Amino acid sequence: MRLFLSDENLVVQGRAFKGFPLLVHKDGTAVEPAQSFLWDVLTANGRAQSPLTWAKYGRDIYDYFAFLDANGLDWQATPDRGMPSIVDWYRDWSKGEIGLDSVTINARLRLVARFYRWAQQMDLIRQLPFRYQVVRVSRTPGFLAHLDASSNMVALPRAMLSQKSALIKFLTMDQVLVCLGVLSNITHRLMFELMVRCGLRQIECRTFPVRYLCDPTKRRDLVPGQMIRLPLSERDMKLKYDKPRAIDVPYDLMEDLWWYAARHRKSRQQAAGAGATSSCLFLTQNGTPYGDTALTDIFADLERRVGFRVRPHMLRHTYGTYTLWKLRKVGFEGEPLLYVRDRMGHSSVSTTSIYLHLINQLGAQLVLQWEDEIDALFGRET
C-alpha cells in the first residue's frame, strides 16, 4: 500500500488536480473506499481545497488504512459488545507504539470518524464502529459567540484522547540567538529570519519570489527602520488556501535579501545550468527550488545541533506573539489583533487570539525582556 501525490496529469473536467492524494495497493488498484472518501470530502460542493489540505488528509487517512492493512483488520468490522473497536486499537497503537501526542492522534481520529460517517451515508456500513459522547469544550469567543446556543457542547467519538490545553510553542530569545549562531549557511539563515520576522509559513518561505525584492537604499520613499509592505499573491507563490495577503518586511531584512539575491542566489542559479530559471528567491546549491520537506529536514538538523526543539511553525508563532505584544505596548492606532491576523493570513481573529492568551499567561516581565532583546538582535526600531 502506497500514498502518492498526483502530478499535473490528473485532470477532471478540464481542471488539473496536481498534488491530490492517491492511495494505491501493491497491484496498482485504488484503496477503496478510502480513495472515494478523499475525493468526495476534498472536492465537496464543487470547491477543491488547498493542496496542503489534500496532502494532510491523504497522509492521515493513509496512516489509518495502512495500520489496518498491516494488522489484517477489516475497516467494516464492528466490535462485540464491551470490546474495543478497531478505532480504539488504532488510537492505542498510535499512542503506545508510535508515541504520537494526543493532539495529533485526536486530529487523525476526527478524520477517521468523518470517514465512517461518510461510509454510513453511502450505505457501506450499517453502524459506526464507535460511539459518541457529548462534552463541553473551551472555545475562544468569536464575533458571533453570542449566537452559540449549544453552550459549547459538542459530540466527540469516545475513542478520542483527553488533552490538556497547552501553550503554543515558540522560541525564546536565547534560543533564537543560539539558532542564528549555528546557521552558517546564508540561505538557511535568511529563511529563518524571514519566517521569524514576517510570520511566513514554510511553504511560503520556500516559494517566496525574487521579484518581490527591492534595493531599499535606492528608494527615496523608504528610510532605515521602516517597514516595507509587500502584497503576496497566489499567482507568484504558494499561499495557504490561495488567500492573498500583505506582510511587512523590515528595512534591514529587505536590504539583506536584496544583496543575497544579487550575490549568492545568482551563483546558485548558475549551478542549475544554462536555460534553467526559477522564480523562487531561495535556491539549493544545485540551483533548484527547495522541495516540500526541505525545511523540515533543515530544521531537524538544526534541532540536533542546538539541542532543543526547533520547528518551522515555531518561528511563525514567535512572530505572532512578539508582534501582538509590541503593538499593544506602543499604542498601535488600530486593532492589534486584526493587524496580526491580516499579516499572518488567518481566516478568523479567533485563531490570532491564541497569541493574546499566551502573552497573558507568560507574564509581562518575561515578554518585555524577550521584546527588548529581539529589537537589539535585529537592530531595528518600530
Side-chain angles (χ1 to χ4, degrees):
M1 182 176 173
R2 297 285 300 277
L3 169 66
F4 299 97
L5 297 180
S6 64
D7 59 20
E8 61 278 359
N9 292 315
L10 178 59
V11 179
V12 179
Q13 295 182 344
R15 174 173 179 176
F17 285 82
K18 183 179 180 180
F20 197 87
L22 302 174
L23 277 63
V24 182
H25 288 297
K26 291 181 179 179
D27 61 2
T29 59
V31 178
E32 291 291 3
Q35 188 64 63
S36 294
F37 164 72
L38 287 173
W39 180 259
D40 284 356
V41 73
L42 294 177
T43 61
N45 302 319
R47 182 176 63 88
Q49 303 293 327
S50 162
L52 294 178
T53 303
W54 295 350
K56 173 73 167 58
Y57 276 44
R59 286 192 300 268
D60 287 355
I61 207 67
Y62 166 79
D63 189 74
Y64 179 65
F65 273 84
F67 164 79
L68 298 180
D69 184 61
N71 291 277
L73 300 173
D74 181 1
W75 73 270
Q76 294 174 298
T78 55
D80 294 331
R81 187 175 182 83
M83 298 299 291
S85 71
I86 54 176
V87 176
D88 294 323
W89 293 346
Y90 172 67
R91 174 203 61 204
D92 295 341
W93 171 79
S94 299
K95 185 70 174 179
E97 297 294 327
I98 307 303
L100 298 178
D101 60 52
S102 298
V103 174
T104 300
I105 295 172
N106 284 343
R108 294 182 176 181
L109 289 176
R110 280 191 288 270
L111 183 61
V112 169
R114 188 174 179 181
F115 162 75
Y116 277 105
R117 292 197 304 270
W118 171 87
Q120 190 177 47
Q121 293 171 356
M122 300 297 291
D123 293 327
L124 299 176
I125 56 174
R126 290 186 177 181
Q127 68 181 62
L128 301 174
F130 52 83
R131 293 185 178 182
Y132 280 90
Q133 59 183 346
V134 177
V135 299
R136 184 184 301 277
V137 297
S138 175
R139 290 176 177 154
T140 302
F143 290 133
L144 302 179
H146 61 286
L147 298 180
D148 183 7
S150 66
S151 300
N152 288 353
M153 303 300 292
V154 299
L156 297 174
R158 288 187 178 180
M160 300 275 285
L161 294 169
S162 61
Q163 59 187 62
K164 297 180 180 179
S165 178
L167 291 177
I168 59 174
K169 298 294 190 299
F170 69 96
L171 295 180
T172 65
M173 182 44 48
D174 286 341
Q175 291 173 329
V176 171
L177 288 169
V178 171
C179 290
L180 291 173
V182 302
L183 284 170
S184 56
N185 184 305
I186 184 62
T187 304
H188 298 171
R189 182 186 176 94
L190 285 175
M191 283 178 156
F192 185 97
E193 283 202 42
L194 189 59
M195 287 189 285
V196 79
R197 301 182 69 183
C198 300
L200 291 188
R201 300 177 177 92
Q202 62 167 312
I203 190 172
E204 296 167 345
C205 180
R206 287 192 293 103
T207 61
F208 190 84
V210 67
R211 65 181 295 268
Y212 281 5
L213 303 182
C214 69
D215 182 355
T217 64
K218 301 295 180 60
R219 293 263 303 266
R220 293 185 177 181
D221 59 324
L222 300 177
V223 296
Q226 181 177 342
M227 288 291 192
I228 303 171
R229 178 65 54 90
L230 283 183
L232 308 181
S233 172
E234 72 280 5
R235 295 188 299 271
D236 303 319
M237 59 188 292
K238 292 183 179 180
L239 300 173
K240 190 173 184 180
Y241 306 127
D242 293 332
K243 181 181 178 182
R245 74 178 192 275
I247 61 172
D248 288 336
V249 180
Y251 182 102
D252 65 291
L253 178 56
M254 176 64 79
E255 191 173 10
D256 289 343
L257 293 172
W258 172 260
W259 282 108
Y260 168 82
R263 297 175 180 175
H264 298 279
R265 183 188 182 277
K266 185 176 180 180
S267 61
R268 289 196 168 199
Q269 186 166 1
Q270 291 173 346
T277 60
S278 173
S279 62
C280 299
L281 169 61
F282 300 113
L283 301 176
T284 67
Q285 291 182 346
N286 296 326
T288 58
Y290 283 88
D292 293 345
T293 62
L295 263 66
T296 300
D297 296 337
I298 290 170
F299 276 70
D301 178 68
L302 175 61
E303 196 171 272
R304 288 189 292 268
R305 294 162 64 190
V306 298
F308 52 81
R309 188 180 180 88
V310 187
R311 301 297 167 84
H313 213 69
M314 291 174 66
L315 304 187
R316 183 168 159 84
H317 289 326
T318 303
Y319 167 83
T321 307
Y322 164 72
T323 304
L324 183 57
W325 174 266
K326 183 72 172 182
L327 294 178
R328 294 178 72 207
K329 177 176 178 289
V330 301
F332 176 68
E333 294 183 3
E335 174 50 56
L337 271 176
L338 297 183
Y339 174 88
V340 176
R341 178 201 65 183
D342 293 342
R343 300 293 78 76
M344 299 187 73
H346 290 154
S347 298
S348 169
V349 73
S350 296
T351 304
T352 316
S353 64
I354 63 173
Y355 302 114
L356 181 60
H357 296 314
L358 176 62
I359 290 170
N360 292 336
Q361 293 183 59
L362 284 175
Q365 183 175 359
L366 174 61
V367 181
L368 278 171
Q369 180 183 5
W370 177 42
E371 170 210 10
D372 292 339
E373 290 177 340
I374 201 168
D375 277 342
L377 169 67
F378 292 121
R380 65 185 176 98
E381 296 182 358
T382 57

